[in-house]
Amino acid sequence: MNKRNDGPPYPADGYPGKQDEAEASANRGDRGGGQEDSGVKYPEIFVQLTGTDGNAFAILGKVQRALRRAAVSDMEIERFIEEATSGDYDKVLATCMEWVEVG
């Protein structure tokens, strides 16, 4: 029996590079969960956005409330709102993901 493999050897989930990225992270000694790893400004703050109202103002309100509960300064929250509203809907989502962990 002759087995032929025409494609690259991807991991079972079909995402090339996922395994390599994880191995590289382990080799660097990364432990995950820190701002350096995720690039999130407040990685300790989690906001559940999936399964909720997708309206931009509702999303901004949820993140703003989470920032307040975490005792983030009013000036910093104002910066978040200004940044998030400086573009379109995609900018709102991108800014939320840059500032807090979202799910």
Side-chain angles (χ1 to χ4, degrees), residues 62-81:
K62 283 190 92 168
V63 175
Q64 184 178 24
R65 282 189 298 280
L67 291 169
R68 282 204 178 110
R69 279 193 305 270
V72 174
S73 73
D74 287 341
M75 186 184 306
E76 187 77 342
I77 293 171
E78 188 176 315
R79 278 191 216 120
F80 161 74
I81 296 294

Side-chain angles (χ1 to χ4, degrees), residues 1-99:
M1 212 181 237
N2 188 0
K3 239 182 168 180
R4 184 175 172 192
N5 185 358
D6 290 332
Y10 290 159
D13 64 1
Y15 177 70
K18 185 174 185 178
Q19 187 175 26
D20 296 337
E21 185 179 319
E23 288 174 1
S25 176
N27 291 337
R28 287 191 309 267
D30 295 350
R31 299 289 179 248
Q35 183 175 351
E36 306 82 40
D37 300 334
S38 65
V40 176
K41 193 166 193 171
Y42 294 100
E44 69 279 5
I45 302 173
F46 178 82
V47 179
Q48 183 68 43
L49 295 181
T50 56
T52 61
D53 187 353
N55 177 289
F57 293 107
I59 291 170
L60 289 171
K62 283 190 92 168
V63 175
Q64 184 178 24
R65 282 189 298 280
L67 291 169
R68 282 204 178 110
R69 279 193 305 270
V72 174
S73 73
D74 287 341
M75 186 184 306
E76 187 77 342
I77 293 171
E78 188 176 315
R79 278 191 216 120
F80 161 74
I81 296 294
E82 286 175 11
E83 182 180 335
T85 58
S86 67
D88 59 5
Y89 183 77
D90 289 335
K91 177 66 174 173
V92 170
L93 296 177
T95 303
C96 291
M97 290 185 284
E98 290 170 6
W99 280 64

